[in-house]
Amino acid sequence: MQLLKSKALLVAVAAFDAASAHTTFTNFFIDGAPQGDGTCVRMSDNIPEATFPIRPVTSQDMACGVNGEKGVARICPANSGSQLTFNFRDWPDGSQPGSLDKSHMGPCAVYMKKVDNSAADNNAAGPGWFKIFEEDYDNSSGQWCTSKIMANDGKLSVNLPTDLAGGYYLVRPELLALHQADKTPPDPQFYVGCAQIFLQSSGSSVPKDTVSIPGHVSMQDKAMTFDIWTAKGQISFPQFSPPTYKSASSKRGIESRTQLTQTFGLKPANCIMENDNWCGLKLPSYADEGGCWASSQNCWDQSKTCYDSAGPVGSKNCKNWESYCDSVKNACGAGNFNGPPSAASFMPAPPARLGSSGSSPIASSPDNTGSQSADSGYAEAKAAPSTPSSSNGDNSIKGGSVDTCGSNGGLKSPDGTSILTSTADNVLRTYILPSDLLSYSSTQPLHPYSIHHNPEPVYATAFHPAYTLQSPLSALYIASLRSLPVRLFSPFNPSIPASYPLVSPTTEEYIAPHSLLFSYQNPNTFFAGSLNLISVFDINRNGEGPVERMPTVPSKRSRVVGGVGGIKGIVSALGISSEGLLAAGTFSRWVGLYDGHGRGGSMGVFELRDEALNKEEAGGTGITQVLWSGDGRYLCVAERCSDGISVWDIRGTGKRLAWLRGRDVKTNQRLGVEVVSGEVWAGGVDGNVRLWEGLGMKEGMVDPSWEFRAHDGDVSPTNLS
């Protein structure tokens, strides 16, 4: 088996060095006034990769980024000479601080292009671009332009020229990170985006020295391969791209000096709430029951549009609008047919202006200087919000196991794009795997895309079978927490959309399941394993308990009439075969089998300790995983504090077939196992990943077919895609 040739990706979660890596232009300010997250900004429609650099330099995406040819609904008005402050974020939704990794050093620039309508499609790539700002390495401060942006909370300010003709423009900030430019092949990383503005000006200048993007840079430019790591002393960065615009280098008299009036991209007059480029419109008035329910439906229709249109900056204000819709619905239900009610109490807090005094430092005008001063193009930095630290002291995974006894770390999503971890600090983190991860020759840093802090330890997690990052509404997972209901989460939603209580009928306390599993037959159904019980929940029934309870210990009558025996203890592992046979394992080392996709009767039980052939196989302290082979014949059972994995021939002899030894898991941590195409993969406390080939083809003691060292600490778990 050749791992690299088959493009199998082994992700040892403990080995992720989770430092921030990329960035994107998310929002901007005009004379210190915030325009809103994503408002008037063309952004990528590929949310998981919204912060990725643009490649290659000949791509049409070099103009305004991925999806940059698609105009957005809003156009923000600005006056001639106004200061525009562009904000770059590592997390587009601003859920965590950070703008760019400190290694991403290089120059910056800002371009403009005059267009007929900033909100129109297909007007970005091509000729007409001119540069109004540039900066590379500042020898006086010893900093690159990007380093200054990092130090200023991701903000770069530029003053618009005062003599430009009024009208519609695209404004394009550009960051170039050169940390990989010295590699073979060179990898200069451009981060670009476009703001849509209407310039209110009485000027008449139209720059004559314009360039085409793509085309303004070439891989033959010396700047594209500049080695920032060996450059010392007074650095002279090679010139690339066009010169900066000066007022003397323009055509005059082409545009009328009369100030134009904006007609496209205006904020609707009845807009009462905004998210990105969506506007929540004031609901129709009503005075009877029919009008009330019609207005309620209008509200929910707008809510759906808000969520559907939400881009990388998130759907925070859609949640506010949804709460407002709830209030309208509740009013109709209570017989209050005069409305609609006021939305004032549901309005999000207005975003803050730049700087404590309501403005940021003013950059020099490019009209006469041709470029702005080295230190004047940066908005005043705001203190980054504090975040609870992880067990490593930050939100990174720096090495060692991120899992603890009783937690479930390193779960891979069904679409292979995401990794979910739970750590001892009660935090759930979602990591997005870059689509080009296999193209790198060295380990690439990952940073959590979403972080959910919880009040209690996490016992188990499970991804929804339809999880995909391409549809935020289906990107869901569930988690069980001690002394709380099972919670529904989404990496795109900081709140908890739903919860599912499991309550003890005797003590009325919450029961926290130790295992969770979605049914692939009915993706809206999930199983939850707890003490002597498997519960079945419907994900659509928010706030409701299980639709079915299946005790794993049979009743006295069932035993008398010859029923199959049960399994005792906490159900700690669940797995369902391709033929619909549910396997349930317990911490007390029992395994039970249930037909009918887990909803039928018990097909059999067995106890692991009865099958131990020698001392090497004994000593497991509880089942942590039950995994089926693809054909549903063989069942692999993994335990805590056990150096082997037992393989059972369920459809054939019904007996234990093999013992996969040498796993090296003498720990109470849940170090994971994965079964892929007849191969069993497992990580150990020694940092090695081991492979046993030919599942079901060998009997007795089976040694690993292959192993390699993945990390210096525990490897938990192993995930392949």
Side-chain angles (χ1 to χ4, degrees), residues 286-295 332-333 335-338:
Y286 53 84
D288 55 34
E289 182 176 4
C292 187
W293 289 112
S295 190
C332 295
N336 299 326
F337 301 138
N338 287 289

Side-chain angles (χ1 to χ4, degrees), residues 7 10 13 54 64 100 106 151 154 241 341 343 350 425 434 476 482 484 489 519-520 541 547 555 578 619 634 638 663:
K7 288 291 184 181
L10 182 119
V13 173
I54 303 301
C64 287
L100 191 65
S241 71
D425 53 0
L476 302 170
R482 184 179 65 188
L484 290 171
F489 293 94
S519 167
Y520 69 82
R541 298 188 177 186
V547 296
S555 65
S578 57
Y634 303 105
R663 184 182 172 207

Side-chain angles (χ1 to χ4, degrees), residues 558-603:
S558 176
R559 291 195 295 270
V560 169
V561 299
V564 177
I567 58 175
K568 303 175 183 178
I570 294 174
V571 179
S572 53
L574 294 166
I576 196 163
S577 74
S578 57
E579 296 185 342
L581 194 61
L582 176 69
T586 69
F587 281 140
S588 54
R589 308 188 71 206
W590 286 84
V591 176
L593 303 172
Y594 304 86
D595 65 1
H597 293 274
R599 308 290 290 273
S602 175
M603 300 295 293

